Amino acid sequence: MPWDPNLYHKFQAERSAPFFDLLSLVEIRPKLKVIDLGCGTGELTRQLANALPDSDVTGLDSSAQMLEKALSFSGPNLHFEHGDQAQLTGAWDLIFSNAALQWSENHAELISYLYQRLTPGGQIAVQVPSNHNHISHQLYRETASEEPFQTILKGFQRYAPVLSIDEYARLFFACGAENIIVFEKVYAHILEDSDAVVEWISGTALVPYFERLGGHKEEFLHVLRKKMRAALPETPVFYPFRRTLFSARKPTIQET
């Protein structure tokens, strides 16, 4: 997908807040082999590397546009690679992902697959947006289902693959994980108006729609902004953003 790093960064402070809550779940140990799935433009991956002493950190992303920005944060203990997070290979002491796994489908299979990539004693720590039932998401799906956009999009709709917190917990239990932590948190953001909400989702959820809308992007946004102004007329707009955070550890192999 054609990501726009500048648009994504428009709300950088708000998007970064869950990263620090996720980082607090990480068991800090020296000399870890770490992968950051969906590293984006690399600033937060650099902070992750700084928090992990004597560790080797790899940032992985499928977007060439994002990685072009990330390369400036490379260092002796941090490098970046292009790749598909759902096809991760190798063995890792820490699999970390902040707001990226929602772009990979079938989380029931994905979580099990990633867990298998952990070394004994390794940890997975993930944060995903779980805001897919917010009015902004309802309205862009509604708009996409209306003409002329349904025809232009050829019926395309994307629904978040994010599971409930109970389902993530059960997945890790089925994997035999230890120290299972799963919770949902609402981050209270104050945005200028409903247009700012549209701008927010334009940097994330609307990206696959823009890819297919071509020259009809602005027409789509015009319709969506009109609906959003009716739904959220207040200024400023209180934007409660739900996110799911989870962590689990693979047991260390016991000697016999």
Side-chain angles (χ1 to χ4, degrees):
M1 291 182 289
W3 286 89
D4 183 342
N6 294 324
L7 182 57
Y8 184 83
H9 274 191
K10 181 69 182 288
F11 302 97
Q12 185 174 9
E14 291 88 348
R15 296 195 196 280
S16 299
F19 166 85
F20 296 101
D21 286 334
L22 182 63
L23 184 59
S24 71
L25 299 179
V26 173
E27 301 171 7
I28 306 297
R29 295 181 288 146
K31 299 182 179 179
L32 296 175
K33 184 182 179 185
V34 181
I35 185 81
D36 180 13
L37 301 180
C39 62
T41 51
E43 295 95 335
L44 297 179
T45 312
R46 177 74 268 174
Q47 294 202 42
L48 174 65
N50 290 343
L52 300 173
D54 303 317
S55 294
D56 182 52
V57 180
T58 299
L60 185 75
D61 206 283
S62 61
S63 169
Q65 297 93 336
M66 292 291 199
L67 288 172
E68 184 178 353
K69 297 276 188 180
L71 289 175
S72 64
F73 296 99
S74 300
N77 68 330
L78 173 60
H79 65 281
F80 296 92
E81 296 179 0
H82 185 270
D84 181 353
Q85 61 190 8
Q87 302 296 323
L88 180 66
T89 59
W92 305 89
D93 300 316
L94 173 63
I95 297 175
F96 185 94
S97 184
N98 180 62
L101 286 195
Q102 72 274 11
W103 293 111
S104 294
E105 304 300 326
N106 197 338
H107 278 204
E109 290 186 4
L110 178 63
I111 295 304
S112 176
Y113 176 80
L114 294 177
Y115 183 82
Q116 293 172 36
R117 306 277 76 78
L118 291 173
T119 59
Q123 181 186 10
I124 181 170
V126 171
Q127 180 269 123
V128 287
S130 49
N131 214 39
H132 41 275
N133 289 322
H134 186 265
I135 185 62
S136 58
H137 290 247
Q138 295 178 37
L139 289 178
Y140 77 66
R141 289 192 293 264
E142 175 186 281
T143 304
S145 70
E146 297 170 346
E147 294 297 352
F149 307 114
Q150 185 175 40
T151 297
I152 295 166
L153 293 165
K154 298 179 181 178
F156 171 80
Q157 288 279 11
R158 186 176 191 275
Y159 296 93
V162 175
L163 304 175
S164 70
I165 56 177
D166 289 21
E167 288 172 304
Y168 284 118
R170 289 183 180 277
L171 282 172
F172 284 118
F173 177 76
C175 288
E178 298 177 337
N179 296 1
I180 300 169
I181 300 172
V182 187
F183 64 93
E184 188 177 63
K185 179 174 178 177
V186 174
Y187 292 82
H189 301 316
I190 310 300
L191 302 184
E192 183 179 356
D193 52 25
S194 63
D195 284 0
V197 178
V198 173
E199 194 168 17
W200 176 297
I201 62 176
S202 292
T204 52
L206 290 181
V207 172
Y209 290 84
F210 292 162
E211 184 179 21
R212 293 164 173 82
L213 282 166
H216 299 276
K217 171 184 172 181
E218 290 305 320
E219 182 184 356
F220 183 90
L221 284 173
H222 175 75
V223 174
L224 180 57
R225 288 190 189 102
K226 185 176 180 180
K227 291 182 178 183
M228 286 291 292
R229 288 167 188 160
L232 299 173
E234 64 272 16
T235 301
V237 169
F238 176 67
Y239 187 43
F241 200 111
R242 292 177 179 269
R243 295 183 183 267
T244 295
L245 297 91
F246 56 80
S247 170
R249 184 163 62 85
K250 193 172 191 176
T252 302
I253 296 176
Q254 298 294 320
E255 295 184 3
T256 57

